[in-house]
Amino acid sequence: MNFFMLNKKLFKTLEGKFIIFGAGYKGGIGKSVISLGLAKEFNIPYITNDQGSAISGNIEFYKHTYLTYDFISDEKLEESKIVIIDLAGCFFIDKTILKLIKESNLIILPTGENPYLDHTGCLITADNLYNLNKNIMFVTTGIENDKLKDTMFSFNKIKLMYPNFEKLKLFGLSKCNEIINDSLLKKRSYLRTYLSLSEEKKDEFKPFIKDWARIVKEVKLALEEHQIKI
């Protein structure tokens, strides 16, 4: 099957579904951490074009994974009302990715902690996407908990330069490699991994799970607005 037919089949499968799109202007900003985490949390199909990703590729963390370049649908994907898409690449010149972004119901744009490379890069990306789709949600990722508030303040300060983004929400996801790596190893959600910890460890990782719960809640609210039940 050629690339055109693969794209046609993919878009046909996505018709009528609530699409969450994990977008990224560069690697290493937590796009796959968030996208795979939500896929596992909601038990929904995860679509990616990056088999070689350190987190999403070749690690058999999530069985409901579908590759865009070797796309094969199944009963799980056909019946699901929600999908999450995590695509690497320059989406400004990729017509397939641009079309998926345009049709998405929620775009999650993560950013790191650098105010110039990360924050400005994220906001320029959002500015380029805004005319296509205004359903954007920002998430700062990979930040130590004691620096998270300052990082979010810095991002919001730069965000003031973009009047269109005044009402767009920013969430923080503090750094917690232990839960993420353990979840990958044991093939379970971040929440389930947290609940399996000792009380001492739960106290240590409480900031991360509170951050994660806020993100999950925001996605649930978006689903409720479209009258979709999990």
Side-chain angles (χ1 to χ4, degrees):
M1 186 180 291
N2 63 35
F3 188 64
F4 174 77
M5 291 302 294
L6 281 172
N7 286 345
K8 189 175 180 181
K9 186 176 180 182
L10 172 61
F11 284 114
K12 181 69 176 176
T13 304
L14 293 175
E15 284 182 4
K17 298 186 186 303
F18 187 99
I19 301 173
I20 303 168
F21 193 104
Y25 52 96
K26 62 187 280 287
I29 52 173
K31 178 167 57 68
S32 294
V33 167
I34 296 169
S35 299
L36 262 176
L38 288 172
K40 190 74 175 179
E41 209 73 58
F42 291 122
N43 187 30
I44 57 177
Y46 170 78
I47 300 171
T48 183
N49 65 348
D50 190 10
Q51 190 176 23
S53 167
I55 184 170
S56 63
N58 290 333
I59 299 174
E60 301 208 357
F61 167 59
Y62 192 54
K63 65 180 180 179
H64 302 304
T65 298
Y66 305 82
L67 298 173
T68 56
Y69 55 84
D70 191 20
F71 182 73
I72 299 174
S73 187
D74 61 11
E75 187 177 355
K76 173 71 175 180
L77 185 52
E78 295 287 345
E79 293 184 354
S80 180
K81 296 179 180 179
I82 315 157
V83 298
I84 189 152
I85 300 175
D86 170 13
L87 300 185
C90 185
F91 44 75
F92 296 126
I93 60 174
D94 189 312
K95 291 182 180 179
T96 300
I97 298 178
L98 283 173
K99 186 175 178 182
L100 286 169
I101 287 173
K102 188 175 182 179
E103 295 184 3
S104 295
N105 301 93
L106 177 64
I107 298 172
I108 299 176
L109 259 175
T111 179
E113 61 183 321
N114 187 297
Y116 303 103
L117 179 62
D118 291 334
H119 297 175
T120 302
C122 177
L123 289 163
I124 289 173
T125 299
D127 198 40
N128 281 307
L129 296 181
Y130 193 76
N131 288 333
L132 284 177
N133 196 321
K134 296 175 174 55
N135 300 309
I136 296 171
M137 170 178 142
F138 299 111
V139 183
T140 60
T141 67
I143 318 296
E144 297 293 345
N145 183 55
D146 60 347
K147 298 179 181 178
L148 188 60
K149 285 185 179 180
D150 288 341
T151 301
M152 294 175 72
F153 178 81
S154 174
F155 183 89
N156 278 323
K157 189 175 180 180
I158 299 173
K159 187 160 74 77
L160 291 174
M161 298 170 60
Y162 298 84
N164 287 332
F165 301 163
E166 184 180 354
K167 294 182 179 180
L168 296 185
K169 294 181 180 179
L170 168 66
F171 293 84
L173 183 63
S174 50
K175 187 175 183 179
C176 191
N177 291 338
E178 292 91 338
I179 285 185
I180 292 167
N181 291 336
D182 198 34
S183 296
L184 287 171
L185 181 65
K186 296 176 179 176
K187 302 180 182 181
R188 59 189 180 190
S189 70
Y190 303 152
L191 180 57
R192 280 191 60 200
T193 295
Y194 175 79
L195 292 174
S196 72
L197 299 173
S198 66
E199 292 304 317
E200 183 180 352
K201 282 290 185 181
K202 282 181 180 177
D203 286 340
E204 181 182 351
F205 298 144
K206 189 176 290 184
F208 169 84
I209 210 64
K210 282 186 174 180
D211 293 340
W212 181 244
R214 291 188 190 101
I215 293 169
V216 171
K217 182 179 179 181
E218 185 66 15
V219 174
K220 285 182 177 179
L221 288 173
L223 293 171
E224 287 174 5
E225 286 180 6
H226 286 75
Q227 298 182 331
I228 297 174
K229 295 181 179 180
I230 295 293

